[in-house]
Amino acid sequence: MTRDAIGEPLAFNTPTAQAFGVLVTAPGMNQAAVARLGERALALR
């Protein structure tokens, strides 16, 4: 599963074509990874 650093789906077809980090996990690990990293990612965003 590939998401941005706060767990949102990646979307490159946007006016700015930018993503905030990339988080790649096995599907069963995604929620735990976002929970662990999401708060720090939001502080940097």
Side-chain angles (χ1 to χ4, degrees):
M1 182 170 277
T2 304
R3 303 280 182 173
D4 72 9
I6 56 173
E8 298 296 320
L10 292 176
F12 292 106
N13 191 15
T14 65
T16 61
Q18 295 179 344
F20 180 70
V22 176
L23 178 62
V24 179
T25 66
M29 296 177 64
N30 188 260
Q31 287 181 336
V34 169
R36 182 175 172 98
L37 301 173
E39 189 174 320
R40 286 183 270 174
L42 283 172
L44 296 171
R45 190 171 196 190

